[in-house]
Amino acid sequence: MPRDGNRGSGRRESHVFAEIYRIGPKELLVPQTLFDDIGFRFQLDKVFQGILTPLSAAVYDVEAADATLAAHFHVENAAALFLPFTAKIAAGAAIAFLYQSQKRSLTYIHAIKTYDTHSYMTLDPNTRRNLEIVQTIYSNQKKGSLLWVMDKTCTPMGRRLLREWLENPLLDLDKIMERQNAVRDLYEKPLVQDALKDILQQIHDLERIAGRIAFGTASPRDLVSLKVSIGHLPKFLETIGRLNSSLFRQMSEGFDDLRDLYHRIDQAIVEEPPVSPKEGGLVKQGFSREIDELREISSGGKNRILAIEGREREETGIKSLKIGYNKVFGYYIEVSNANKNLVPEHYVRKQTLANGERYYTEELKTYEDKVLGAAERLYQLEYEVFCQIRDYIAANTARIQLMASYIAVADAVFSFAKVALENRYVCPTLHTGSSIEIQRGRHPMVERVGEESFIANDTLLDDGDNRIMVITGPNMAGKSTYMRQTALILLMAQTGSFVPAETAKLALVDRIFTRIGASDDLVGGNSTFMVEMTETAEILRAATARSFIVLDEIGRGTSTFDGLAIAWAVIAHLSAGDVGPKTLFATHYHELTGLEREMPHIKNYAITVREYNGDLIFLRKITPGKAGKSYGIQVAKLAGVPISVVNDARRILKSLEKNQIHFDNGKAKTEEIPALFKEISDDEEEVINEIKNLRPDHLTPIKALSLLAEWQDRLKTKNDEN
């Protein structure tokens, strides 16, 4: 990652940080120079909470990477791997680190795949959080997120892939349509959908099992789980064969039933093996003659021990005599102190106890050696059989991974189809034009968790008069929900999913930006307003004509006129030119609704409400036009603000409303603000005029403090007189 301080470098770093946030790795490998860079570490801490491991610069040398990759993949030169330059260096460093840290064979790494972020819609960390794609903003829980709504998967593999799809909407229309057609294929065949679900529910996590087998950490139960899963592959192939979309046809054509792996496991491993491969009891009877013989000796020897115990009791007359075993002393004959006088001379003392003695005989020792020797050899042979099967499967890991990928894709497509069927989603029409038309769109998460019936709304955005929607209306009316649902519908459509709407004709977007809510970065020295402006600046710099932008309450973090001016200028910037990003702009600055007459590409919309006996009724419906007022005081009343404060606010508002902002040729003119709260006295007015006429740049600090003290005394004296 270059750090040359120029603007291009900053954008590349921003993109890298966004990708780190998306992937959420557990560990990052970085050059020592970056590890020591405080500025880099500070920015990284915002998006990454895992382990940061520094590596020497030598590991990242291109020649070192070439040598590492050539040696690992047994090629003469790393060029044979056809890796991009940066990917080659990164892969070389990662493999070198694994050899150093794992101290074991890495044969399970048999290929390197690269991906191009330009194939996917770019979503910065703020947008991912605001849209709650995989977790909610406030609780950081899956429940309530888009992933929670969309996840009907049956396998861990499908669940991981579904999350990947939602976090990486596609940009290639052909690829989107291929996935969408597969979803429609299943959506229109509910019986096939049910049959596929039954099969998927019986398949284990083949990706993780294959990884453990390749890494040498698999257990006998992993092999049985693999066998069980492979056993369902023929039925899986039969089911997807009933589907006609190209995605499922490709699976059918490239299908591998892994029959040889199934038979190798089935012939050797019992159905319910022990957890550890070194405990014995995992190889089937009849697989190995030697194992069967040793098993017979082992079990037969133990029976012989019981026979010896019975005979010794009878010959010695010691009815309480018993033969026991432990790992320290082996087999022994235990006699109580009361019967020691009956012990024969050929008994050899082995251990003295508080209540008796332990002995052995030559016969007992001989059988012990035979039984224990057979058991030890048996465990060794069974472990060798297990290792042979595991190694055979490890050599075929790529085949298992391919079938695992098919199952994951089928499962993710099944989930999309299932959710669409259950939630009345429709198949969107996507195109490379410029218009976004949604009829009766809904918010996928809010409609699932809300207690009220969800009110659907329309959206029309194009490169004409409808490029920017300026949305007004009170808090709690649903502006944020409406804007987020539009963004989510676009995102879902470009993952190949159906969408919550009655109809949807959607232009492809390259990026989705959101600037929503108030937050600060006090550790980084940034106020709430500074964070708002930084995020806005990044959006204005990075947005293209094919981007989609959600801006909520721009400028609310500063004074009224500063904020209004900034919001006004942002809209002017976005409306410039014949083409530009489609934008939803929610605001409480009602003055901005006048821009519809003064600037191109702007339409006013309002979230409708009704007043009844001084209370608000939220209709949640968006309609053309502007809100009559912001209804902030009514919302404050709903929130439980004391009625005395509400009444004072109403009185102050009447005074504030005397201040009018009007438009004249696209420029705002403002009348002077009158006194707001009470009639001011002559003395108070005199102090105000002195402040107005003051020239601060001509004051010394001492003079300024003296004037403040004088004004305070004059005002305090006047108040005391009153």
Side-chain angles (χ1 to χ4, degrees):
M1 182 189 301
R3 295 185 60 80
D4 53 17
N6 61 37
R7 184 174 178 180
S9 173
R11 287 191 182 184
R12 285 193 294 272
E13 288 190 16
S14 175
H15 188 76
V16 169
F17 289 133
E19 191 66 2
I20 290 171
Y21 180 83
R22 180 189 71 81
I23 296 172
K26 300 297 183 184
E27 182 174 9
L28 277 180
L29 308 178
V30 298
Q32 185 70 51
T33 51
L34 272 186
F35 185 84
D36 295 335
D37 187 325
I38 296 176
F40 169 79
R41 296 282 295 275
F42 178 77
Q43 293 298 325
L44 183 64
D45 284 345
K46 297 179 180 180
V47 296
F48 174 66
Q49 304 299 322
I51 300 170
L52 190 63
T53 302
L55 302 180
S56 70
V59 175
Y60 289 91
D61 179 76
V62 64
E63 292 182 0
D66 276 333
T68 299
L69 294 173
H72 177 78
F73 290 103
H74 306 291
V75 293
E76 186 174 345
N77 191 294
L81 301 175
F82 300 102
L83 294 174
F85 179 77
T86 52
K88 179 169 64 175
I89 292 177
I95 289 179
F97 171 75
L98 289 174
Y99 272 115
Q100 181 183 7
S101 60
Q102 299 300 310
K103 309 293 185 184
R104 66 193 305 167
S105 170
L106 301 178
T107 54
Y108 59 92
I109 300 177
H110 50 77
I112 295 176
K113 293 183 180 179
T114 62
Y115 70 96
D116 184 1
T117 55
H118 294 95
S119 300
Y120 307 105
M121 184 192 296
T122 301
L123 299 169
D124 60 71
N126 290 323
T127 298
R128 293 181 185 278
R129 281 192 292 265
N130 288 330
L131 296 184
E132 300 181 302
I133 298 173
V134 298
Q135 62 183 26
T136 57
I137 295 175
Y138 298 109
S139 64
N140 294 325
Q141 299 291 321
K142 177 183 174 181
K143 184 176 181 180
S145 69
L146 178 62
L147 178 61
W148 170 70
V149 172
M150 301 301 296
D151 188 4
K152 296 292 184 180
T153 55
C154 304
T155 69
M157 299 167 289
R159 195 166 301 120
R160 290 190 292 269
L161 183 63
L162 178 72
R163 175 172 179 152
E164 184 180 324
W165 283 2
L166 293 177
E167 290 196 290
N168 297 279
L170 299 169
L171 297 180
D172 187 308
L173 183 57
D174 290 338
K175 292 182 178 178
I176 296 171
M177 294 308 299
E178 180 182 61
R179 197 181 288 171
Q180 185 189 93
N181 289 336
V183 175
R184 184 193 288 111
D185 205 359
L186 262 183
Y187 177 87
E188 294 174 349
K189 298 181 176 71
L191 293 179
V192 179
Q193 194 179 124
D194 291 341
L196 183 60
K197 177 182 178 181
D198 291 341
I199 296 166
L200 292 173
Q201 287 178 332
Q202 300 178 75
I203 295 178
H204 297 272
D205 194 342
L206 295 184
E207 288 177 340
R208 296 288 168 84
I209 292 173
R212 288 194 291 270
I213 290 172
F215 200 63
T217 59
S219 71
R221 293 183 181 179
D222 286 327
L223 298 190
V224 172
S225 295
L226 175 61
K227 185 194 79 170
V228 169
S229 300
I230 293 175
H232 293 291
L233 291 184
K235 191 67 175 176
F236 175 79
L237 175 61
E238 178 188 336
T239 303
I240 63 173
R242 296 159 64 186
L243 301 166
N244 302 318
S245 56
S246 62
L247 197 59
F248 285 114
R249 286 203 309 269
Q250 291 169 26
M251 291 185 199
S252 297
E253 292 167 1
F255 202 80
D256 181 353
D257 62 11
L258 306 177
R259 187 178 301 275
D260 56 321
L261 305 186
Y262 179 93
H263 287 310
R264 187 65 65 101
I265 300 169
D266 186 57
Q267 289 171 358
I269 306 300
V270 298
E271 300 301 325
E272 296 183 7
V275 175
S276 171
K278 297 183 178 181
E279 293 180 6
L282 59 89
V283 175
K284 282 185 176 180
Q285 189 77 17
F287 177 76
S288 165
R289 179 181 297 178
E290 185 177 3
I291 288 176
D292 291 346
E293 290 176 352
L294 289 170
R295 190 172 285 157
E296 185 177 352
I297 291 172
S298 179
S299 60
K302 291 179 181 178
N303 292 334
R304 179 59 180 163
I305 294 290
L306 294 175
I308 293 173
E309 181 183 73
R311 191 189 66 212
E312 292 297 323
R313 285 179 180 176
E314 184 177 345
E315 290 182 355
T316 61
I318 304 173
K319 301 302 181 184
S320 61
L321 179 149
K322 63 181 179 181
I323 296 180
Y325 171 83
N326 64 41
K327 292 183 179 180
V328 177
F329 293 102
Y331 285 101
Y332 55 80
I333 299 172
E334 185 170 313
V335 178
S336 64
N337 287 334
N339 294 305
K340 281 199 303 185
N341 60 315
L342 299 176
V343 172
E345 292 184 1
H346 65 279
Y347 277 28
V348 180
R349 183 178 287 108
K350 198 169 194 177
Q351 183 185 11
T352 300
L353 305 174
N355 299 320
E357 296 283 349
R358 287 178 176 173
Y359 305 88
Y360 72 92
T361 65
E362 287 300 322
E363 180 187 18
L364 187 62
K365 182 64 175 172
T366 299
Y367 276 107
E368 176 186 85
D369 293 342
K370 185 176 181 180
V371 171
L372 295 182
E376 184 177 346
R377 176 61 179 157
L378 175 62
Y379 292 160
Q380 180 183 347
L381 283 179
E382 290 200 74
Y383 181 65
E384 289 175 2
V385 169
F386 168 79
C387 290
Q388 290 170 3
I389 296 173
R390 184 191 64 195
D391 293 345
Y392 176 81
I393 296 172
N396 291 275
T397 300
R399 295 170 59 200
I400 300 172
Q401 290 173 334
L402 178 62
M403 291 303 98
S405 70
Y406 285 4
I407 291 164
V409 169
D411 196 10
V413 169
F414 161 80
S415 188
F416 276 177
K418 185 72 171 177
V419 171
L421 204 58
E422 291 181 350
N423 297 330
R424 299 177 294 107
Y425 291 178
V426 298
C427 184
T429 300
L430 291 112
H431 56 83
T432 56
S434 61
S435 64
I436 295 171
E437 302 174 65
I438 301 170
Q439 291 187 352
R440 297 187 59 78
R442 313 186 306 276
H443 193 295
M445 294 94 89
V446 174
E447 74 169 349
R448 285 282 307 278
V449 300
E451 295 180 358
E452 303 174 1
S453 297
F454 191 88
I455 305 299
N457 277 296
D458 300 341
T459 302
L460 173 61
L461 293 165
D462 54 34
D463 277 335
D465 293 337
N466 300 285
R467 202 166 83 200
I468 301 173
M469 293 175 61
V470 175
I471 305 170
T472 51
N475 288 315
M476 297 175 61
K479 298 192 300 295
S480 181
T481 297
Y482 171 75
M483 294 190 297
R484 281 186 169 101
Q485 82 183 34
T486 306
L488 286 167
I489 287 172
L490 291 170
L491 183 148
M492 292 168 66
Q494 290 187 218
T495 66
S497 170
F498 285 22
V499 299
E502 192 171 279
T503 63
K505 299 177 182 178
L506 310 173
L508 292 181
V509 299
D510 61 356
R511 293 193 65 163
I512 294 175
F513 296 94
T514 63
R515 156 91 280 281
I516 298 172
S519 61
D520 56 40
D521 178 20
L522 298 181
V523 174
N526 295 321
S527 65
T528 300
F529 182 64
M530 185 62 179
V531 170
E532 177 187 332
M533 290 297 98
T534 300
E535 293 177 4
T536 302
E538 178 62 25
I539 292 172
L540 297 181
R541 282 197 303 266
T544 73
R546 300 198 66 83
S547 298
F548 176 77
I549 301 174
V550 171
L551 295 174
D552 192 12
E553 304 298 345
I554 291 294
R556 298 295 289 181
T558 185
S559 70
T560 300
F561 290 104
D562 275 358
L564 176 58
I566 291 169
W568 189 340
V570 168
I571 292 179
H573 176 84
L574 293 171
S575 68
D578 293 333
V579 294
K582 311 301 180 292
T583 305
L584 303 184
F585 193 105
T587 184
H588 278 94
Y589 293 127
H590 287 257
E591 299 82 359
L592 296 177
T593 58
L595 296 177
E596 182 185 60
R597 302 189 305 272
E598 307 295 333
M599 295 181 183
H601 311 304
I602 298 173
K603 278 283 188 182
N604 290 331
Y605 286 86
I607 301 289
T608 53
V609 296
R610 294 288 184 269
E611 284 188 89
Y612 181 76
N613 292 335
D615 293 326
L616 281 183
I617 300 174
F618 297 114
L619 302 182
R620 315 291 187 193
K621 196 70 179 175
I622 187 163
T623 57
K626 60 182 180 179
K629 54 183 178 178
S630 65
Y631 299 98
I633 293 175
Q634 288 91 331
V635 174
K637 180 182 176 182
L638 286 175
V641 172
I643 194 64
S644 59
V645 176
V646 171
N647 291 334
D648 280 348
R650 285 185 172 133
R651 179 172 55 81
I652 294 168
L653 178 63
K654 289 180 180 179
S655 182
L656 283 170
E657 287 176 340
K658 295 178 183 178
N659 178 55
Q660 298 292 326
I661 295 178
H662 59 89
F663 290 88
D664 185 4
N665 294 325
K667 297 182 179 179
K669 293 189 175 181
T670 310
E671 297 175 1
E672 188 172 337
I673 300 176
L676 300 178
F677 306 105
K678 61 177 182 177
E679 293 293 323
I680 60 174
S681 67
D682 292 340
D683 289 336
E684 290 170 331
E685 187 172 6
E686 182 179 346
V687 171
I688 291 172
N689 289 330
E690 288 178 19
I691 294 173
K692 286 182 177 179
N693 298 323
L694 191 66
R695 301 185 64 182
D697 53 330
H698 289 184
L699 291 179
T700 65
I702 293 177
K703 180 63 175 174
L705 291 172
S706 176
L707 282 173
L708 286 172
E710 176 187 340
W711 291 331
Q712 187 178 43
D713 288 340
R714 286 161 59 185
L715 295 174
K716 183 177 180 182
T717 300
K718 181 63 180 175
N719 288 334
D720 290 341
E721 290 175 357
N722 293 335

